[in-house]
Each structure stands twice: as structure tokens, then as C-alpha cells.
Amino acid sequence: MARKSTKITLAVVFSLVAAAIVCLTLLPRLQSLANGKIDEALGSLDESVYSITGLRVSYDYIELSSTDHIAMHGIKLYQDEAGATGKTRRNVISIDDLRLKFNIWGILLNKPQDLIRGIDLEHLDIAFRLPEDNEPLNKIIKYLFFEPVEYIPEFLLNIDDIRASLVTTASGTSGKPGQLEDRYLIVAPHFQTSTLSGAMEFSIPEAKASGRVPSILTSLDPSLKVLLGSGQFSADFKTVNVWVSPDFTQIDVKGRLAASMGSVAIAEQSVTVKKTNDGIEAELRNGRGL
């Protein structure tokens, strides 16, 4: 039984989080949904999501619009936090609209690998804070990358309007908590994942990444600190395509990248990364360099 052991990209992780939540919490209940037992089918949704992610879940309403289509609206995965006025909810993952298309024959013939056909998400917002969200983030990564994989269902996942952020807080050189705050942000108008070919394929027409990493400057030579500025960086990705073999032993990544940090800039270049049993190969070309 193959095990997932390679972190592909941050964008892939974020998309798989959404896909896993759908597959692992809704799919076991589709038989009940098909029979119209919506209340019964969704009664343990919160506990299922919590066991996988460490986050609680809420949603506005659910539609069973046909025999093969389910829509969920206003989905929130959140942390309960104690405040001066009592507990408050901080949303970690939000999805405005989720539409799930399933194959009724997969239910009737008891073939879970044929159950799901398509997942469409609109307005996916992911906002992790560390160390506050250490537990849910570790649980999600462990489940996605280190749990045994029995099979990969064949489905097509489309996500429109993605915003994923990560904020980490650490002590500065003076030892004061919260002095240094590293910020990372990825924004993409569209993301697609497909397993219809047997392999896992990811496509990102364009995406922008930005952030601020002041903590990396604390141990650098003063001349390098001047070169890198405040630690602010940005990167533009175009036509990124990722292919992962069914046994996760081979990964191919292709795309175009332009990036900058301080006074250092990389002109747009073609990026190729290949991972096989023999190791990892990476190549930058077709650009003017640094």
C-alpha cells in the first residue's frame, strides 16, 4: 500500500485539504442522502471533520438539487478561542459554495472509487496562524501525506477564487514574544485537480505569492540584510502543471516563475522539477537570470 511522503507544493496542499474534507465527510453519507435522509446523513458531520482536521464545522444550508448533485453553502471550519467576553470563533477555512456531483451507480454497486465525479468550490479562503493552529495543520498534513492510501477516486476538482495565507509568530532577538511575524499569501483565480487518468494532475493558470519573512534576517550578514531589504518577497506563477504518479514515486512540475526579494529579482523563467526514485532534478531556463 503506497504512502504519501512528499510535500508537492503549498497550493497543492491547500487544494487537497478542501478535497479531503469533501471526500472523507460527505462520501460515506451519500447513500443516506440519496434516500432523502439528510438530517441523519449530516448528523455526525462536525465530529467527522473534527477528527480529521481538529477544526469544527458549520454551514448555512444544504441543497439536494437532483439525484446526483449536492450543494453546500457558507461552509466554515473554525477554531473556538477564549476571549475577554467569552468564546469566539475564528474561521480557518471558508468556502462560499461547494457543489458535489456523484455517480448514483457507484452507490448502488457499492464501488466507492466510482462514487464521486466532480467537485466545484467557489471562494476558498484558508487562513492558518501559528502557533495557534499547530494542531489542526499537523493533523491535516499527517492525514494527507502519511496515512495509508487504499485508492484514489476518479474525480475532477475545480476551485475558483483561492486565497491562502499563513502567519507565523516568533520571538525576536530581544526575546519578546510576537516581535517577528512572518506572513505568506497565495492568491489564484482558478485551480484544477483531476484523477481521471489514474494519476493526479494539477493545473494553475496563474497565481501570485507574497509575504514578509523578517525572521530570516536575524542571523544574516549585514550586507545581505541590505540586499534583501525588509524580507518582503513576491512571486508570479504562470501555466503551472503538476503530474503525480498513482504510487506517488514520480512527480513532474512545469511552469513559469518570476520573483523578487529586496533588490534581488529573478526574471520570468521556465521552471521544471522532476522527482523520481533516483532523486530530484530542477531546472531554470529561458530567462535573463538574476
Side-chain angles (χ1 to χ4, degrees), residues 20-52:
I21 292 168
V22 174
C23 296
L24 297 170
T25 60
L26 288 183
L27 293 186
R29 297 168 175 78
L30 286 181
Q31 180 66 62
S32 296
L33 287 171
N35 293 331
K37 302 177 182 178
I38 297 179
D39 291 338
E40 176 185 338
L42 298 173
S44 60
L45 178 63
D46 181 69
E47 290 303 322
S48 297
V49 172
Y50 184 76
S51 67
I52 296 167

mmCIF file of all heavy atoms in Angstrom, residues 20-52:
data_model
loop_
_atom_site.group_PDB
_atom_site.id
_atom_site.type_symbol
_atom_site.label_atom_id
_atom_site.label_comp_id
_atom_site.label_asym_id
_atom_site.label_seq_id
_atom_site.Cartn_x
_atom_site.Cartn_y
_atom_site.Cartn_z
ATOM 1 N N ALA A 20 -10.115 16.651 0.538
ATOM 2 C CA ALA A 20 -10.190 15.612 1.558
ATOM 3 C C ALA A 20 -11.387 15.801 2.462
ATOM 4 O O ALA A 20 -12.062 14.840 2.840
ATOM 5 C CB ALA A 20 -8.902 15.605 2.383
ATOM 6 N N ILE A 21 -11.652 17.051 2.818
ATOM 7 C CA ILE A 21 -12.800 17.325 3.675
ATOM 8 C C ILE A 21 -14.076 16.848 3.015
ATOM 9 O O ILE A 21 -14.942 16.232 3.637
ATOM 10 C CB ILE A 21 -12.877 18.825 3.989
ATOM 11 C CG1 ILE A 21 -11.700 19.225 4.886
ATOM 12 C CG2 ILE A 21 -14.198 19.187 4.665
ATOM 13 C CD1 ILE A 21 -11.514 20.713 5.008
ATOM 14 N N VAL A 22 -14.192 17.121 1.716
ATOM 15 C CA VAL A 22 -15.387 16.695 0.981
ATOM 16 C C VAL A 22 -15.474 15.180 0.917
ATOM 17 O O VAL A 22 -16.485 14.573 1.264
ATOM 18 C CB VAL A 22 -15.368 17.282 -0.445
ATOM 19 C CG1 VAL A 22 -16.524 16.722 -1.257
ATOM 20 C CG2 VAL A 22 -15.458 18.798 -0.391
ATOM 21 N N CYS A 23 -14.387 14.553 0.472
ATOM 22 C CA CYS A 23 -14.414 13.107 0.257
ATOM 23 C C CYS A 23 -14.620 12.332 1.550
ATOM 24 O O CYS A 23 -15.373 11.364 1.596
ATOM 25 C CB CYS A 23 -13.105 12.662 -0.402
ATOM 26 S SG CYS A 23 -12.852 13.334 -2.055
ATOM 27 N N LEU A 24 -13.946 12.764 2.604
ATOM 28 C CA LEU A 24 -13.926 11.989 3.827
ATOM 29 C C LEU A 24 -15.143 12.198 4.716
ATOM 30 O O LEU A 24 -15.414 11.389 5.588
ATOM 31 C CB LEU A 24 -12.655 12.315 4.617
ATOM 32 C CG LEU A 24 -11.364 11.944 3.886
ATOM 33 C CD1 LEU A 24 -10.176 12.521 4.617
ATOM 34 C CD2 LEU A 24 -11.228 10.442 3.765
ATOM 35 N N THR A 25 -15.864 13.280 4.504
ATOM 36 C CA THR A 25 -17.019 13.537 5.358
ATOM 37 C C THR A 25 -18.352 13.383 4.652
ATOM 38 O O THR A 25 -19.329 12.955 5.255
ATOM 39 C CB THR A 25 -16.952 14.954 5.951
ATOM 40 O OG1 THR A 25 -16.947 15.906 4.889
ATOM 41 C CG2 THR A 25 -15.697 15.130 6.781
ATOM 42 N N LEU A 26 -18.394 13.695 3.368
ATOM 43 C CA LEU A 26 -19.662 13.588 2.649
ATOM 44 C C LEU A 26 -19.848 12.234 1.970
ATOM 45 O O LEU A 26 -20.943 11.681 1.973
ATOM 46 C CB LEU A 26 -19.759 14.694 1.592
ATOM 47 C CG LEU A 26 -19.993 16.110 2.117
ATOM 48 C CD1 LEU A 26 -20.148 17.070 0.952
ATOM 49 C CD2 LEU A 26 -21.223 16.172 2.998
ATOM 50 N N LEU A 27 -18.788 11.688 1.401
ATOM 51 C CA LEU A 27 -18.948 10.464 0.616
ATOM 52 C C LEU A 27 -19.525 9.297 1.412
ATOM 53 O O LEU A 27 -20.385 8.577 0.917
ATOM 54 C CB LEU A 27 -17.608 10.068 -0.016
ATOM 55 C CG LEU A 27 -17.102 11.036 -1.094
ATOM 56 C CD1 LEU A 27 -15.860 10.471 -1.761
ATOM 57 C CD2 LEU A 27 -18.162 11.324 -2.128
ATOM 58 N N PRO A 28 -19.105 9.046 2.658
ATOM 59 C CA PRO A 28 -19.708 7.930 3.390
ATOM 60 C C PRO A 28 -21.189 8.117 3.670
ATOM 61 O O PRO A 28 -21.862 7.165 4.059
ATOM 62 C CB PRO A 28 -18.906 7.912 4.705
ATOM 63 C CG PRO A 28 -17.633 8.590 4.386
ATOM 64 C CD PRO A 28 -18.003 9.658 3.401
ATOM 65 N N ARG A 29 -21.700 9.334 3.446
ATOM 66 C CA ARG A 29 -23.104 9.607 3.765
ATOM 67 C C ARG A 29 -23.976 9.754 2.518
ATOM 68 O O ARG A 29 -25.145 10.089 2.614
ATOM 69 C CB ARG A 29 -23.182 10.885 4.595
ATOM 70 C CG ARG A 29 -22.475 10.728 5.928
ATOM 71 C CD ARG A 29 -22.304 12.067 6.610
ATOM 72 N NE ARG A 29 -21.735 11.888 7.944
ATOM 73 C CZ ARG A 29 -20.456 11.647 8.170
ATOM 74 N NH1 ARG A 29 -19.613 11.569 7.163
ATOM 75 N NH2 ARG A 29 -20.005 11.479 9.401
ATOM 76 N N LEU A 30 -23.414 9.511 1.343
ATOM 77 C CA LEU A 30 -24.191 9.728 0.125
ATOM 78 C C LEU A 30 -25.342 8.738 -0.007
ATOM 79 O O LEU A 30 -26.378 9.051 -0.596
ATOM 80 C CB LEU A 30 -23.270 9.630 -1.103
ATOM 81 C CG LEU A 30 -22.342 10.837 -1.282
ATOM 82 C CD1 LEU A 30 -21.492 10.655 -2.528
ATOM 83 C CD2 LEU A 30 -23.130 12.130 -1.365
ATOM 84 N N GLN A 31 -25.172 7.530 0.524
ATOM 85 C CA GLN A 31 -26.264 6.573 0.470
ATOM 86 C C GLN A 31 -27.477 7.107 1.225
ATOM 87 O O GLN A 31 -28.607 7.034 0.750
ATOM 88 C CB GLN A 31 -25.827 5.230 1.071
ATOM 89 C CG GLN A 31 -26.921 4.168 1.054
ATOM 90 C CD GLN A 31 -27.293 3.758 -0.362
ATOM 91 O OE1 GLN A 31 -26.453 3.246 -1.079
ATOM 92 N NE2 GLN A 31 -28.525 3.991 -0.760
ATOM 93 N N SER A 32 -27.242 7.653 2.399
ATOM 94 C CA SER A 32 -28.340 8.232 3.172
ATOM 95 C C SER A 32 -28.920 9.443 2.471
ATOM 96 O O SER A 32 -30.133 9.653 2.456
ATOM 97 C CB SER A 32 -27.848 8.620 4.574
ATOM 98 O OG SER A 32 -27.459 7.484 5.287
ATOM 99 N N LEU A 33 -28.042 10.263 1.863
ATOM 100 C CA LEU A 33 -28.542 11.429 1.151
ATOM 101 C C LEU A 33 -29.408 11.015 -0.027
ATOM 102 O O LEU A 33 -30.429 11.633 -0.318
ATOM 103 C CB LEU A 33 -27.363 12.280 0.666
ATOM 104 C CG LEU A 33 -26.616 13.056 1.754
ATOM 105 C CD1 LEU A 33 -25.354 13.673 1.176
ATOM 106 C CD2 LEU A 33 -27.505 14.143 2.326
ATOM 107 N N ALA A 34 -28.998 9.978 -0.711
ATOM 108 C CA ALA A 34 -29.773 9.513 -1.859
ATOM 109 C C ALA A 34 -31.151 9.038 -1.426
ATOM 110 O O ALA A 34 -32.112 9.091 -2.189
ATOM 111 C CB ALA A 34 -29.029 8.381 -2.571
ATOM 112 N N ASN A 35 -31.275 8.578 -0.206
ATOM 113 C CA ASN A 35 -32.563 8.132 0.308
ATOM 114 C C ASN A 35 -33.348 9.266 0.969
ATOM 115 O O ASN A 35 -34.393 9.037 1.567
ATOM 116 C CB ASN A 35 -32.353 7.015 1.340
ATOM 117 C CG ASN A 35 -31.802 5.765 0.691
ATOM 118 O OD1 ASN A 35 -32.072 5.513 -0.479
ATOM 119 N ND2 ASN A 35 -31.039 4.994 1.443
ATOM 120 N N GLY A 36 -32.822 10.465 0.882
ATOM 121 C CA GLY A 36 -33.515 11.616 1.426
ATOM 122 C C GLY A 36 -33.332 11.828 2.909
ATOM 123 O O GLY A 36 -33.966 12.689 3.504
ATOM 124 N N LYS A 37 -32.443 11.076 3.556
ATOM 125 C CA LYS A 37 -32.241 11.194 4.996
ATOM 126 C C LYS A 37 -31.139 12.213 5.276
ATOM 127 O O LYS A 37 -30.076 11.880 5.790
ATOM 128 C CB LYS A 37 -31.887 9.831 5.593
ATOM 129 C CG LYS A 37 -32.953 8.764 5.337
ATOM 130 C CD LYS A 37 -32.508 7.421 5.887
ATOM 131 C CE LYS A 37 -33.534 6.336 5.597
ATOM 132 N NZ LYS A 37 -33.080 5.013 6.086
ATOM 133 N N ILE A 38 -31.394 13.451 4.923
ATOM 134 C CA ILE A 38 -30.363 14.464 5.014
ATOM 135 C C ILE A 38 -29.956 14.707 6.465
ATOM 136 O O ILE A 38 -28.769 14.796 6.792
ATOM 137 C CB ILE A 38 -30.837 15.771 4.358
ATOM 138 C CG1 ILE A 38 -31.071 15.526 2.865
ATOM 139 C CG2 ILE A 38 -29.839 16.891 4.572
ATOM 140 C CD1 ILE A 38 -31.557 16.747 2.123
ATOM 141 N N ASP A 39 -30.948 14.816 7.353
ATOM 142 C CA ASP A 39 -30.620 15.063 8.756
ATOM 143 C C ASP A 39 -29.765 13.943 9.333
ATOM 144 O O ASP A 39 -28.794 14.179 10.054
ATOM 145 C CB ASP A 39 -31.901 15.213 9.578
ATOM 146 C CG ASP A 39 -32.650 16.486 9.237
ATOM 147 O OD1 ASP A 39 -32.001 17.408 8.714
ATOM 148 O OD2 ASP A 39 -33.865 16.544 9.472
ATOM 149 N N GLU A 40 -30.137 12.705 9.011
ATOM 150 C CA GLU A 40 -29.380 11.555 9.520
ATOM 151 C C GLU A 40 -27.980 11.526 8.927
ATOM 152 O O GLU A 40 -26.992 11.254 9.625
ATOM 153 C CB GLU A 40 -30.123 10.264 9.168
ATOM 154 C CG GLU A 40 -29.373 8.999 9.559
ATOM 155 C CD GLU A 40 -30.102 7.748 9.085
ATOM 156 O OE1 GLU A 40 -31.328 7.821 8.857
ATOM 157 O OE2 GLU A 40 -29.434 6.705 8.940
ATOM 158 N N ALA A 41 -27.886 11.843 7.633
ATOM 159 C CA ALA A 41 -26.596 11.759 6.947
ATOM 160 C C ALA A 41 -25.606 12.793 7.454
ATOM 161 O O ALA A 41 -24.407 12.538 7.518
ATOM 162 C CB ALA A 41 -26.794 11.947 5.440
ATOM 163 N N LEU A 42 -26.092 13.962 7.842
ATOM 164 C CA LEU A 42 -25.211 15.048 8.245
ATOM 165 C C LEU A 42 -25.112 15.202 9.757
ATOM 166 O O LEU A 42 -24.469 16.116 10.247
ATOM 167 C CB LEU A 42 -25.696 16.364 7.628
ATOM 168 C CG LEU A 42 -25.685 16.397 6.101
ATOM 169 C CD1 LEU A 42 -26.341 17.662 5.602
ATOM 170 C CD2 LEU A 42 -24.259 16.294 5.581
ATOM 171 N N GLY A 43 -25.739 14.285 10.485
ATOM 172 C CA GLY A 43 -25.761 14.427 11.936
ATOM 173 C C GLY A 43 -24.396 14.380 12.570
ATOM 174 O O GLY A 43 -24.148 15.059 13.570
ATOM 175 N N SER A 44 -23.470 13.593 12.019
ATOM 176 C CA SER A 44 -22.136 13.468 12.615
ATOM 177 C C SER A 44 -21.075 14.178 11.778
ATOM 178 O O SER A 44 -19.881 13.890 11.910
ATOM 179 C CB SER A 44 -21.759 11.986 12.747
ATOM 180 O OG SER A 44 -21.744 11.359 11.484
ATOM 181 N N LEU A 45 -21.492 15.118 10.922
ATOM 182 C CA LEU A 45 -20.536 15.813 10.052
ATOM 183 C C LEU A 45 -19.477 16.549 10.867
ATOM 184 O O LEU A 45 -18.279 16.469 10.575
ATOM 185 C CB LEU A 45 -21.287 16.795 9.143
ATOM 186 C CG LEU A 45 -20.414 17.644 8.200
ATOM 187 C CD1 LEU A 45 -19.672 16.753 7.223
ATOM 188 C CD2 LEU A 45 -21.267 18.656 7.452
ATOM 189 N N ASP A 46 -19.905 17.255 11.905
ATOM 190 C CA ASP A 46 -18.971 18.044 12.699
ATOM 191 C C ASP A 46 -17.910 17.165 13.347
ATOM 192 O O ASP A 46 -16.717 17.481 13.313
ATOM 193 C CB ASP A 46 -19.733 18.833 13.764
ATOM 194 C CG ASP A 46 -18.803 19.687 14.603
ATOM 195 O OD1 ASP A 46 -18.256 20.666 14.071
ATOM 196 O OD2 ASP A 46 -18.611 19.360 15.791
ATOM 197 N N GLU A 47 -18.320 16.030 13.929
ATOM 198 C CA GLU A 47 -17.357 15.144 14.588
ATOM 199 C C GLU A 47 -16.395 14.522 13.584
ATOM 200 O O GLU A 47 -15.210 14.324 13.889
ATOM 201 C CB GLU A 47 -18.092 14.061 15.363
ATOM 202 C CG GLU A 47 -18.815 14.578 16.597
ATOM 203 C CD GLU A 47 -17.881 15.300 17.553
ATOM 204 O OE1 GLU A 47 -16.726 14.843 17.710
ATOM 205 O OE2 GLU A 47 -18.285 16.316 18.133
ATOM 206 N N SER A 48 -16.890 14.185 12.387
ATOM 207 C CA SER A 48 -16.019 13.603 11.367
ATOM 208 C C SER A 48 -14.945 14.592 10.929
ATOM 209 O O SER A 48 -13.773 14.247 10.811
ATOM 210 C CB SER A 48 -16.854 13.169 10.148
ATOM 211 O OG SER A 48 -17.776 12.166 10.501
ATOM 212 N N VAL A 49 -15.355 15.830 10.669
ATOM 213 C CA VAL A 49 -14.396 16.848 10.273
ATOM 214 C C VAL A 49 -13.410 17.126 11.406
ATOM 215 O O VAL A 49 -12.208 17.264 11.184
ATOM 216 C CB VAL A 49 -15.128 18.152 9.865
ATOM 217 C CG1 VAL A 49 -14.121 19.278 9.633
ATOM 218 C CG2 VAL A 49 -15.951 17.918 8.613
ATOM 219 N N TYR A 50 -13.908 17.164 12.645
ATOM 220 C CA TYR A 50 -13.031 17.454 13.782
ATOM 221 C C TYR A 50 -11.980 16.358 13.968
ATOM 222 O O TYR A 50 -10.816 16.648 14.285
ATOM 223 C CB TYR A 50 -13.866 17.602 15.056
ATOM 224 C CG TYR A 50 -13.049 17.995 16.255
ATOM 225 C CD1 TYR A 50 -12.597 19.304 16.410
ATOM 226 C CD2 TYR A 50 -12.706 17.052 17.219
ATOM 227 C CE1 TYR A 50 -11.830 19.665 17.509
ATOM 228 C CE2 TYR A 50 -11.941 17.412 18.321
ATOM 229 C CZ TYR A 50 -11.500 18.713 18.453
ATOM 230 O OH TYR A 50 -10.735 19.058 19.535
ATOM 231 N N SER A 51 -12.359 15.111 13.777
ATOM 232 C CA SER A 51 -11.402 14.014 13.956
ATOM 233 C C SER A 51 -10.288 14.072 12.925
ATOM 234 O O SER A 51 -9.166 13.632 13.185
ATOM 235 C CB SER A 51 -12.125 12.663 13.873
ATOM 236 O OG SER A 51 -12.615 12.436 12.559
ATOM 237 N N ILE A 52 -10.572 14.618 11.736
ATOM 238 C CA ILE A 52 -9.582 14.681 10.659
ATOM 239 C C ILE A 52 -8.749 15.954 10.731
ATOM 240 O O ILE A 52 -7.535 15.931 10.527
ATOM 241 C CB ILE A 52 -10.278 14.593 9.283
ATOM 242 C CG1 ILE A 52 -10.957 13.236 9.129
ATOM 243 C CG2 ILE A 52 -9.285 14.818 8.145
ATOM 244 C CD1 ILE A 52 -11.910 13.166 7.961
#
